[in-house]
Amino acid sequence: MPDDASVNDVINPITALAFAGEHSGGPRLLLAGEGPYLKAFDYQRGRLLATKRIFETQAVHGISTLHLSNDQEHNNVVDLLIWGGRCARRGLLRHSRAAEPSPVEIELKWEFKLDDWILDGCFDPKNDSTMAERLQQNHTAILVTAHNMVHATSIDEEAGPFLKRVTAGPRSILYSAHIWWSSNGKVLVASGTVFGEVLIWSFLGHALLADATSPAPALLHFKLTGHEGSVFGIRISPDLSHLGYKDISRLLASCSDDRTIRLWDISCLEAGRTITSQDIENFETSVWSLDNGEKGVSANRCVTQIMGHSSRIWDVCFLTSGNTAGVLSFGEDGTAQIWQLSTNGNGPDFSQSHTSGNLTLSHQQTYAYHSGKNLWASALIHRQYGQYTLCTGGADGRIVSYDILEELGPNEQAILNSKWTMQDVVVQLEENETLLSSNAKESAAGIHKTICEQIFDALAGTWMIEREIRSALPMFPSGTFSGEAQFESRPQTAVELDKELLYIEDGKFTTEQGLAFTATRRYVYRYQREVDKMSVWFVKPDENTAVDYLFHELRLQGSTDASNQNSPSVNETISSRSYHLCVEDHYTPNYVFHLGNRILQRWQLAYRVKGPQKDYIADASYVRKAKTVHPIMSGEEETSGTPKAKRPSLRISPSRLMEKDGFKSYVFLRDGSFLVTTAQGIVLIGSLPSPMGRDGKAKQDVFKSPDVKWEIIGQYETLKSSSIATRAKSSDAVLLSGSAGTVHLFDPHKSEVSPLFDLGRKIAFLHVQNIKPAIGHHLILAVCLGHSVANIRQLNHDGRRSSDMGRQAGRLNLPADFIVTSACYSEILRVWMIGSRNGAMAFYDELSFGNDRALEPFSVITDVHGNDSITVMMCLPQYHQDQALYVLTAGRDGHYAVHKIITSNAPMSVIDTLHRSTTPFGPNIEGAALDDKTQDLLLWGFRSKEFVVWNATKDMETMSIDCGGAHRNWEYTPRTDGSDGGTFIWTKASVFYVHSQPSASHRMFRSGGHGREIKAMAVSPVVEQPNGSKLQYIATGSEDTALRIWSYSSRTLDSGHSFQCLGTFRKHTTGIQQLRWSADGKLLFSTAGYEEFFAWRVQPVPFLGIGAACEAVCPKVTEDGDLRITDFALAEYNHHPRGYSSPPTKQQLISLVYSDSSIRVYCYPSTASIRSFELLQSGTYTTHCLTASSYLHPHPHKILCTASSNGHIVFWPINDPLQQPPNTPVQELHYHHGVPVHQNSIKSLFTLPLHPENHDSLIITGGDDGAIGITRRLLPKDHLSPITKTLLIPKAHAAAVNAVAYLRDASPSEGLSRGIQQHIFVSSGNDQRLKTWVVRAREGFADEENLIEGIEVRLLGNRFTCVADVACLGTVVMGDGVGVVVAGIGMEGFGDVG
């Protein structure tokens, strides 16, 4: 095993996942295979606990675990089987059962090497002995290989490892396999071949015993055909006999290169053909007839198929819970998708027998939580309440976890997920008024009701009922019941009772097979005030009204005296769980009552019935039936001499008032409730149940149909037709305006709407900002439709009182064609900043306000967001001691940006854009916020028909809702408590929807990196940070078109992650080819296909960590822009303006190498006034493609060295840009001579100056031929032309050398005096070896024949890197040494390697 001490961190594709350990809230540990390493995470806290190298050079492909209970030290012990390639390893994992787990101990046992690729492995599930026996006995595990061979392995502490071949199936080349242990001791093996076939065969498990002397006989049950490509994934289902499918008790799922998922019936496994040794050897070339008379063997077993994913499907697995079955698939497109299994699309059939042809798969949900391509690993665990937890790992190195509920439908993770029609709102409002009136009468009589009594009273009347019955037994039908439930009040039938209701239910029950019949039932509900108890009783069957015997009692959780206005339970969901034993049947009724302001709005009742002949769930929802209208009170009466706020007089019922009404605008209030205006000018308040319990944890609503509690505020003529609603952050002030031009203030404390001011015409834009939260001082900006003046008004509102109600504070003249879409005010600068529909920003100095004169903008900046609307303008909080103003903007061009506003005595004229990037979700960014706890930047907007919330700091999506798209009324508010949750409300087809989640849609254990292979990497010089620390940036570019900047520390693998992604930037449209930093580390240049060459200014940005703004784009040289810039050389020089009176400016000399063998030399000044590329020279090489480039010498002798696909290096003299006068025509560039170095293409190159006075340089190259070339170029004083000579190291690597990089100067001090230099460099390639070399160069060899005699090369180190397809190397300063970062398919960081 190699020494891992120098390995600091690894970001590799996640190729294996498994759960391990036990914990009350779910699994304790999550195990992940990343390269050759096994990583153990604390599942509950998402913390890395341990990292262990399993194999020397082989990646981990699979993990199987067996829980061994506890050892004598009360640690959880888990048996491990880990495999990858031809290697397998056994081990034990121990971890503490304490609440705070100690570091995990992974003890590795023996490693086995098989003669074939391992496809699947598992433990013997029959091994169910006690813990002590388990720790002493051999724990048998089996493995299946790529030619259908089965091997058994066990651990024996005394005798050593045990490995033997058990049996073999039909010999074929496999891509996938799955092992399944049946209850009768049979081992079932499913194999997917490269030829699109599926083989099902079995053998008896007793052959796994160590004393078994002969191979077990095997039976081939099925050879299934139908796939049109290699079978990549295969999975056997658990027993499905409880679903009631005709003759189907087990299915097999397979996925293929043809992008289809197929389900096969493999229920009949009794018969099969015995597999002989001759059959095994000749299976691939012989023709097998499986329909030759053997009973139960058939090749036509496919019951359904479906095409899914946008590319190949890698794996599948089953989801089964209760009466629901489904399939999970994992694809090359980086997504996990759920497919529901049903009969004719209507769900599983539980009573009527049907043919397998009725089964269908339908798409239910897509989870796209990974970037780039390929989802390689998954782990699934079935948790409580029919809930699954799925963990996935991808090629991006990211590990995420998310919950999948039993129903397999979309959005079931949401704590709140509901929809309301206007009629639903009307019904609830009428119910509120009726019960308010009833409660008022009893309160006047001195009766103070408890919550239990209020609920009992509220049950009276008629309810619409919908009940779903889900049975697990075929003899008991599943179906739905629809009807009415009537609670009729009647005299008490017992003296100890206070109230009694007769429950009568009538309706129609429809089975899932379509059979319908009428149904009725009756109960008696009783209430006893002395013990505050509600009970339910059966009625006698022959009388229908007389009480028979007790069914169950309701003891409500949270029942309190309703007269206590401070009771927290008054406005909460009240539940009750009971129990009843009826002979042998166990009944568990579960009630949930939803109360708002002590009003029962709707309720649910779920029964779980379990017995010898019964096993079903009955889930019913009750909604109040619409009644005749009742008048709303014209106002609240005065009590105790204290006047209450008057509301507008409403003399008609809500149903008349809201007839043909529609939802118009939304705004969230500070307490999480929201205000709604309608087309008829009605103002409503909606309240949501709290998603968090008193313990701070998210509530789990098993009914998934929470209520919105509605309250009507009033109707306002000026808010009819159209309206705008807005609220200031950190304020209770809510502004409303309509078509008439009146602006209203809604006070949530008084629940009243008051007019502020009237502008006389319809308001098109309204913004309010709380500029002094301590005293509630607000500024309002309002713009009328078609008007060119913005009005500024004042408002002092602190939640207790209001003053300066809309007093005029100034007016702003808008630029021509300036339609306002966003605005913000800076209290620091006393400046208004306004954004427009055409992407421009206007600045106004508040200090220049006059009495009547409208203020002109002192600066207008165009193209801030192209020609698209600026939707977000937000002043960021003051950053530490920095007195500058930072402003965040976002627009419908898909970009968000952070600008630094320069302060000075003179009026501002420019802004400095520090950061500009895009989001992956699409062009429409509509809102932004900073998380108060984490300071993460949250962005939200629309991607096609989805509303998406994106955490830009974590670079992850936190919410995605299919709402129909952006063209609708909507509002979103984030939970800024670090949870990444939030609430989204919207209108779709005149229906109000609400979706609220207390946290992000998924948990991230490891953020990973690029989703595709890394093609470019550059390490910056040491850059000083604002806090005085020093840091090197590592920039990486990938085929996923993203540019990432990382920091790197010298941690060990066990102590955390050394790679920290500081930012992700997206602008390129094709894969990035090369990256280079400027000498000061402030500029980063990137190149890609389509002739894309960008200059990025990189600098620290408040609240983002690091920012990058693309400040210049090099012009394209062809009309179609279809060339690729394969590499470029970069050098910096000081340019002195004419006359040298001004200080010199730093400019970049850039030589771009194109895929058509052309070269173009540019000058890039990068000053505040000039940020453009000036073409100086251009030239063309031969027909061979140029692959790499580098400058040989510093200024003034610029020599460009290029490498090409013919294995040559050539040299190009570059004109000195300082000697060229302004407006000089583009000069033609010629190369001097070429030097053959490699047999074919040169993949990498760097140059090393030795003795500048002699123009003595080394050119180190890596070739496609696996060789390393060391070319020395020297210009002796008595020569007119340079001389070159190459020392070639053949077979330096076993494959192409894709990367070479300079490490450090290792020249001994005594050698320098004798003209000896010694340098260390590293190389790597497709053989996944990182090699360290030392090259020793001496002076005094001036003739061509002896030039190489002065060069000595020695190999210092040779180690394995787990990064495949290495493309680039980078060196970083680590204390007194130099570390190496290897990048390709992933990244790996090493400490001092030389």
Side-chain angles (χ1 to χ4, degrees):
M1 188 66 63
D3 181 14
D4 293 328
S6 64
V7 178
N8 296 117
D9 199 4
V10 173
I11 299 179
N12 261 17
I14 304 300
T15 51
L17 288 170
F19 290 109
E22 295 179 351
H23 184 67
S24 58
R28 167 70 80 180
L29 300 175
L30 175 65
L31 306 181
E34 186 175 8
Y37 300 98
L38 178 69
K39 296 188 174 183
F41 293 87
D42 179 355
Y43 181 78
Q44 304 300 323
R45 298 170 178 82
R47 189 176 63 207
L48 178 64
L49 298 178
T51 300
K52 190 76 171 180
R53 188 165 195 145
I54 305 300
F55 303 116
E56 182 177 355
T57 61
Q58 175 61 51
V60 174
H61 290 159
I63 306 168
S64 183
T65 62
L66 178 66
H67 183 64
L68 301 180
S69 188
N70 306 330
D71 60 12
Q72 295 179 353
E73 297 178 358
H74 304 288
N75 289 322
N76 276 329
V77 181
V78 178
D79 202 347
L80 296 176
L81 171 66
I82 308 167
W83 67 91
R86 297 188 303 112
C87 303
R89 190 133 199 184
R90 299 292 301 272
L92 294 176
L93 181 149
R94 293 181 175 87
H95 66 97
S96 170
R97 293 178 56 88
E100 187 70 23
S102 59
V104 168
E105 177 190 348
I106 301 175
E107 179 186 356
L108 294 180
K109 299 291 185 178
W110 292 274
E111 180 177 349
F112 306 91
K113 287 192 176 181
L114 283 70
D115 57 358
D116 206 351
W117 198 268
I118 301 171
L119 297 181
D120 193 26
C122 67
F123 286 99
D124 179 358
K126 305 295 287 183
N127 192 349
D128 55 359
S129 56
T130 63
M131 177 270 301
E133 293 173 340
R134 282 186 177 182
L135 292 178
Q136 296 174 3
Q137 69 183 18
N138 302 335
H139 309 128
T140 303
I142 57 176
L143 300 161
V144 59
T145 61
H147 282 84
N148 245 349
M149 302 290 180
V150 174
H151 296 76
T153 171
S154 296
I155 293 179
D156 191 317
E157 296 290 348
E158 296 181 359
F162 161 69
L163 175 70
K164 75 167 187 173
R165 174 179 162 181
V166 176
T167 187
R171 188 172 180 85
S172 185
I173 302 175
L174 307 184
Y175 249 127
S176 56
H178 182 224
I179 305 169
W180 181 266
W181 295 77
S182 64
S183 58
N184 58 3
K186 182 184 293 185
V187 180
L188 190 63
V189 181
S191 309
T193 76
V194 298
F195 308 110
E197 301 164 339
V198 176
L199 310 175
I200 312 297
W201 59 284
S202 67
F203 64 95
L204 294 179
H206 67 78
L208 301 174
L209 299 176
D211 56 359
T213 58
S214 60
L219 291 178
L220 176 66
H221 300 284
F222 303 112
K223 178 181 179 181
L224 309 173
T225 60
H227 279 298
E228 298 178 0
S230 301
V231 179
F232 292 137
I234 197 165
R235 193 63 61 96
I236 302 169
S237 77
D239 182 28
L240 303 177
S241 57
H242 65 283
L243 295 180
Y245 297 123
K246 180 182 178 180
D247 299 328
I248 297 180
S249 60
R250 194 174 304 281
L251 292 172
L252 179 138
S254 61
C255 60
S256 166
D257 197 13
D258 60 10
R259 289 179 49 207
T260 64
I261 300 170
R262 296 173 186 251
L263 297 186
W264 315 80
D265 178 12
I266 59 169
S267 304
C268 182
L269 296 172
E270 288 77 14
R273 175 170 177 169
T274 302
I275 303 172
T276 67
S277 58
Q278 183 178 2
D279 294 331
I280 294 173
E281 296 300 327
N282 301 327
F283 184 83
E284 295 177 2
T285 57
S286 62
V287 178
W288 277 53
S289 173
L290 297 182
D291 293 308
N292 55 359
E294 287 101 337
K295 183 179 179 182
V297 178
S298 171
N300 184 21
R301 307 296 295 176
C302 184
V303 297
T304 187
Q305 68 179 62
I306 194 169
M307 180 171 284
H309 293 266
S310 60
S311 53
R312 292 174 292 184
I313 306 173
W314 295 133
D315 203 2
V316 288
C317 68
F318 279 95
L319 292 170
T320 57
S321 179
N323 64 341
T324 307
V327 174
L328 264 170
S329 60
F330 312 95
E332 186 182 19
D333 57 6
T335 68
Q337 301 188 20
I338 294 182
W339 310 84
Q340 186 169 10
L341 179 62
S342 58
T343 58
N344 295 321
N346 297 320
D349 191 334
F350 293 98
S351 58
Q352 181 181 359
S353 297
H354 56 275
T355 63
S356 59
N358 291 333
L359 293 177
T360 61
L361 283 172
S362 57
H363 183 265
Q364 293 296 310
Q365 180 79 328
T366 296
Y367 300 96
Y369 298 141
H370 294 268
S371 62
K373 297 176 65 175
N374 296 318
L375 203 159
W376 291 127
S378 64
L380 186 70
I381 189 169
H382 193 188
R383 303 177 66 183
Q384 57 186 354
Y385 305 119
Q387 187 180 65
Y388 283 92
T389 293
L390 175 65
C391 283
T392 55
D396 57 358
R398 179 174 293 181
I399 304 174
V400 296
S401 171
Y402 37 99
D403 292 334
I404 303 173
L405 293 189
E406 181 181 14
E407 286 75 11
L408 308 181
N411 297 336
E412 294 296 340
Q413 299 179 76
I415 296 298
L416 302 178
N417 194 26
S418 184
K419 66 179 182 179
W420 290 74
T421 65
M422 188 61 76
Q423 181 60 31
D424 294 332
V425 178
V426 170
V427 168
Q428 188 190 112
L429 291 172
E430 290 177 345
E431 175 188 341
N432 292 356
E433 294 299 329
T434 301
L435 275 96
L436 279 172
S437 177
S438 173
N439 287 339
K441 292 179 180 179
E442 297 205 20
S443 179
I447 302 175
H448 299 292
K449 297 182 181 180
T450 64
I451 294 295
C452 182
E453 186 174 0
Q454 285 191 68
I455 290 176
F456 186 90
D457 292 344
L459 292 174
T462 305
W463 300 82
M464 304 300 295
I465 179 175
E466 294 287 338
R467 180 182 291 114
E468 179 184 6
I469 298 177
R470 305 188 298 275
S471 174
L473 302 177
M475 69 287 296
F476 194 98
S478 298
T480 57
F481 174 85
S482 299
E484 292 186 359
Q486 179 75 33
F487 285 88
E488 296 180 354
S489 180
R490 70 178 194 179
Q492 302 92 295
T493 55
V495 294
E496 68 273 12
L497 301 176
D498 295 283
K499 298 179 182 180
E500 194 166 289
L501 295 171
L502 175 64
Y503 175 88
I504 305 173
E505 176 184 299
D506 294 291
K508 182 172 70 174
F509 179 74
T510 304
T511 67
E512 290 184 339
Q513 294 73 43
L515 180 63
F517 51 87
T518 59
T520 184
R521 68 173 64 183
R522 297 190 177 202
Y523 299 106
V524 173
Y525 280 66
R526 292 172 158 182
Y527 177 72
Q528 187 175 358
R529 184 175 291 132
E530 182 179 358
V531 293
D532 191 28
K533 181 177 66 178
M534 191 189 320
S535 57
V536 183
W537 299 69
F538 290 104
V539 298
K540 294 181 178 179
D542 53 346
E543 298 185 30
N544 287 334
T545 59
V547 177
D548 195 352
Y549 59 94
L550 177 66
F551 186 7
H552 58 269
E553 296 180 344
L554 282 76
R555 297 191 179 275
L556 303 181
Q557 298 178 8
S559 295
T560 56
D561 191 333
S563 62
N564 181 4
Q565 301 298 325
N566 296 321
S567 171
S569 63
V570 169
N571 290 307
E572 286 194 353
T573 297
I574 306 299
S575 62
S576 172
R577 175 167 293 188
S578 188
Y579 172 78
H580 172 72
L581 177 63
C582 182
V583 189
E584 295 181 312
D585 298 326
H586 300 265
Y587 287 76
T588 308
N590 189 356
Y591 292 80
V592 176
F593 300 99
H594 300 283
L595 301 177
N597 296 323
R598 302 184 304 281
I599 299 170
L600 180 62
Q601 300 177 354
R602 62 181 67 188
W603 57 289
Q604 286 89 19
L605 171 59
Y607 284 98
R608 180 70 169 95
V609 183
K610 184 73 173 180
Q613 303 298 322
K614 296 180 181 179
D615 188 359
Y616 68 89
I617 296 175
D619 192 348
S621 296
Y622 293 80
V623 179
R624 177 74 70 181
K625 184 178 180 182
K627 310 180 294 300
T628 56
V629 300
H630 297 273
I632 293 181
M633 300 166 59
S634 60
E636 296 186 15
E637 300 298 330
E638 297 181 4
T639 59
S640 304
T642 303
K644 291 188 176 180
K646 298 288 183 178
R647 298 181 182 175
S649 177
L650 302 176
R651 298 292 184 180
I652 57 177
S653 69
S655 59
R656 290 279 306 278
L657 186 68
M658 305 173 73
E659 185 178 3
K660 298 181 180 180
D661 205 350
F663 304 100
K664 292 300 293 184
S665 62
Y666 308 114
V667 63
F668 279 95
L669 306 181
R670 198 174 183 182
D671 62 357
S673 60
F674 52 88
L675 181 145
V676 181
T677 65
T678 73
Q680 298 299 320
I682 294 176
V683 178
L684 302 168
I685 297 296
S687 301
L688 300 174
S690 172
M692 307 300 288
R694 293 193 183 100
D695 58 358
K697 298 181 179 180
K699 296 179 180 178
Q700 297 294 330
D701 188 342
V702 295
F703 294 100
K704 308 174 190 69
S705 56
D707 285 316
V708 176
K709 304 172 180 63
W710 295 97
E711 177 188 1
I712 189 168
I713 301 300
Q715 184 179 26
Y716 304 89
E717 189 71 24
T718 54
L719 296 179
K720 284 187 175 181
S721 299
S722 65
S723 60
I724 298 176
T726 185
R727 180 180 69 88
K729 182 183 178 181
S730 304
S731 171
D732 293 322
V734 177
L735 300 187
L736 307 172
S737 71
S739 57
T742 302
V743 176
H744 302 265
L745 172 67
F746 172 72
D747 188 338
H749 300 280
K750 301 177 181 178
S751 295
E752 65 178 12
V753 177
S754 306
L756 280 181
F757 55 88
D758 190 353
L759 296 180
R761 55 196 302 180
K762 183 178 179 179
I763 294 177
F765 178 81
L766 185 63
H767 171 80
V768 58
Q769 189 167 332
N770 189 5
I771 63 173
K772 294 183 179 180
I775 60 175
H777 180 51
H778 298 71
L779 287 179
I780 303 169
L781 185 144
V783 182
C784 295
L785 183 65
H787 204 228
S788 61
V789 175
N791 291 271
I792 308 297
R793 302 292 179 118
Q794 290 184 353
L795 170 66
N796 290 325
H797 177 81
D798 61 3
R800 299 182 299 274
R801 60 186 182 276
S802 301
S803 61
D804 289 333
M805 300 284 285
R807 184 172 65 86
Q808 180 76 34
R811 293 183 301 150
L812 308 177
N813 268 341
L814 301 176
D817 301 323
F818 197 96
I819 301 175
V820 179
T821 56
S822 56
C824 70
Y825 175 80
S826 168
E827 177 68 12
I828 298 174
L829 301 182
R830 306 286 297 276
V831 166
W832 274 101
M833 292 162 281
I834 303 176
S836 74
R837 183 178 293 178
N838 61 2
M841 287 177 62
F843 296 83
Y844 298 84
D845 186 1
E846 185 195 46
L847 297 176
S848 302
F849 277 151
N851 293 329
D852 298 320
R853 180 175 59 87
L855 187 65
E856 298 291 338
F858 64 77
S859 181
V860 177
I861 301 177
T862 60
D863 298 324
V864 177
H865 284 275
N867 293 320
D868 293 291
S869 297
I870 301 177
T871 55
V872 176
M873 293 189 69
M874 182 174 69
C875 293
L876 298 177
Q878 194 169 353
Y879 184 65
H880 298 304
Q881 303 300 320
D882 194 346
Q883 297 300 316
L885 173 65
Y886 296 90
V887 177
L888 172 74
T889 64
R892 292 192 178 135
D893 62 345
H895 289 80
Y896 66 97
V898 175
H899 313 277
K900 183 177 182 179
I901 309 300
I902 308 300
T903 61
S904 63
N905 295 328
M908 294 179 300
S909 58
V910 295
I911 61 176
D912 186 13
T913 300
L914 306 182
H915 175 76
R916 182 177 178 85
S917 188
T918 61
T919 62
F921 62 76
N924 288 351
I925 303 178
E926 302 290 343
L930 282 178
D931 192 292
D932 294 335
K933 182 177 181 180
T934 64
Q935 297 297 299
D936 285 357
L937 175 60
L938 310 176
L939 302 167
W940 54 87
F942 292 89
R943 174 181 58 208
S944 184
K945 294 184 178 181
E946 293 180 314
F947 175 79
V948 178
V949 183
W950 182 263
N951 187 315
T953 304
K954 297 178 182 176
D955 195 39
M956 63 175 278
E957 181 181 296
T958 61
M959 179 187 288
S960 176
I961 303 297
D962 186 355
C963 65
H967 301 291
R968 63 198 64 255
N969 297 322
W970 62 274
E971 185 72 8
Y972 174 74
T973 184
R975 289 174 57 91
T976 58
D977 56 0
S979 64
D980 281 322
T983 302
F984 177 54
I985 55 180
W986 74 99
T987 305
K988 182 178 180 181
S990 301
V991 177
F992 168 85
Y993 291 81
V994 57
H995 174 98
S996 183
Q997 56 189 52
S999 60
S1001 54
H1002 60 284
R1003 294 175 59 200
M1004 188 181 299
F1005 289 84
R1006 182 157 171 77
S1007 58
H1010 289 281
R1012 298 284 301 277
E1013 55 271 28
I1014 298 172
K1015 291 296 187 181
M1017 177 170 59
V1019 181
S1020 76
V1022 177
V1023 179
E1024 186 172 352
Q1025 302 299 299
N1027 60 5
S1029 63
K1030 294 183 179 181
L1031 185 67
Q1032 275 185 291
Y1033 297 136
I1034 301 175
T1036 55
S1038 159
E1039 287 292 336
D1040 63 5
T1041 74
L1043 190 157
R1044 290 176 178 260
I1045 297 180
W1046 309 77
S1047 65
Y1048 182 69
S1049 59
S1050 57
R1051 297 177 179 175
T1052 61
L1053 280 169
D1054 280 325
S1055 61
H1057 302 305
S1058 295
F1059 291 114
Q1060 298 292 331
C1061 185
L1062 304 178
T1064 303
F1065 313 103
R1066 300 173 177 89
K1067 184 174 176 64
H1068 284 286
T1069 58
T1070 62
I1072 296 174
Q1073 298 294 310
Q1074 189 57 274
L1075 297 167
R1076 300 204 191 281
W1077 290 92
S1078 63
D1080 59 4
K1082 295 180 179 179
L1083 286 176
L1084 176 65
F1085 296 90
S1086 62
T1087 182
Y1090 293 144
E1091 302 176 21
E1092 294 178 344
F1093 186 76
F1094 301 151
W1096 304 79
R1097 186 161 294 277
V1098 180
Q1099 54 195 314
V1101 175
F1103 309 104
L1104 290 180
I1106 191 171
C1110 180
E1111 66 177 27
V1113 177
C1114 186
K1116 296 184 177 182
V1117 299
T1118 63
E1119 184 177 352
D1120 297 331
D1122 57 355
L1123 296 180
R1124 196 163 37 93
I1125 303 176
T1126 57
D1127 198 4
F1128 65 97
L1130 179 68
E1132 185 177 280
Y1133 66 95
N1134 291 325
H1135 173 66
H1136 293 267
R1138 187 175 301 178
Y1140 295 93
S1141 59
S1142 302
T1145 60
K1146 292 182 179 180
Q1147 300 197 13
Q1148 310 296 325
L1149 186 66
I1150 305 169
S1151 296
L1152 302 183
V1153 175
Y1154 291 81
S1155 57
D1156 64 349
S1157 298
S1158 63
I1159 296 177
R1160 288 167 179 81
V1161 181
Y1162 290 91
C1163 171
Y1164 182 69
S1166 184
T1167 61
S1169 58
I1170 304 176
R1171 290 181 177 177
S1172 60
F1173 294 88
E1174 179 186 357
L1175 180 60
L1176 303 179
Q1177 289 180 275
S1178 65
T1180 304
Y1181 186 52
T1182 65
T1183 57
H1184 297 281
C1185 181
L1186 296 173
T1187 58
S1189 65
S1190 176
Y1191 288 125
L1192 281 186
H1193 302 293
H1195 174 79
H1197 304 287
K1198 292 293 183 200
I1199 302 294
L1200 177 66
C1201 176
T1202 61
S1204 59
S1205 57
N1206 64 350
H1208 288 57
I1209 57 174
V1210 296
F1211 303 95
W1212 308 69
I1214 305 296
N1215 292 340
D1216 187 353
L1218 296 180
Q1219 305 301 322
Q1220 298 187 32
N1223 302 320
T1224 301
V1226 177
Q1227 302 294 309
E1228 190 171 354
L1229 184 64
H1230 301 278
Y1231 65 92
H1232 277 189
H1233 64 285
V1235 179
V1237 178
H1238 294 271
Q1239 296 179 10
N1240 42 31
S1241 180
I1242 296 177
K1243 310 288 288 186
S1244 54
L1245 174 152
F1246 78 88
T1247 61
L1248 176 62
L1250 295 178
H1251 305 95
E1253 65 277 6
N1254 293 331
H1255 304 279
D1256 191 1
S1257 299
L1258 292 182
I1259 300 100
I1260 314 294
T1261 55
D1264 211 7
D1265 55 1
I1268 291 178
I1270 301 177
T1271 301
R1272 188 170 189 177
R1273 185 181 187 273
L1274 177 66
L1275 180 60
K1277 296 180 181 180
D1278 56 349
H1279 284 59
L1280 297 178
S1281 61
I1283 58 175
T1284 58
K1285 196 71 173 180
T1286 298
L1287 172 65
L1288 192 67
I1289 308 175
K1291 299 181 181 179
H1293 285 265
V1297 182
N1298 296 328
V1300 290
Y1302 180 74
L1303 190 65
R1304 66 181 179 88
D1305 186 349
S1307 301
S1309 57
E1310 64 277 7
L1312 289 176
S1313 62
R1314 300 195 301 268
I1316 299 176
Q1317 293 191 36
Q1318 190 167 284
H1319 299 272
I1320 299 176
F1321 69 94
V1322 289
S1323 64
S1324 189
N1326 291 340
D1327 61 354
Q1328 292 186 246
R1329 306 301 301 184
L1330 176 64
K1331 295 189 176 183
T1332 307
W1333 309 82
V1334 58
V1335 56
R1336 184 182 178 96
R1338 289 177 291 169
E1339 287 186 296
F1341 297 89
D1343 60 283
E1344 187 172 357
E1345 295 298 327
N1346 298 318
L1347 186 60
I1348 287 303
E1349 296 300 325
I1351 300 294
E1352 298 176 9
V1353 182
R1354 182 165 50 93
L1355 180 64
L1356 287 183
N1358 181 2
R1359 66 188 68 205
F1360 172 79
T1361 174
C1362 59
V1363 176
D1365 292 345
V1366 174
C1368 40
L1369 297 171
T1371 58
V1372 293
V1373 177
M1374 304 183 66
D1376 296 332
V1378 180
V1380 175
V1381 177
V1382 184
I1385 300 180
M1387 300 171 64
E1388 185 172 19
F1390 294 88
D1392 192 355
V1393 297

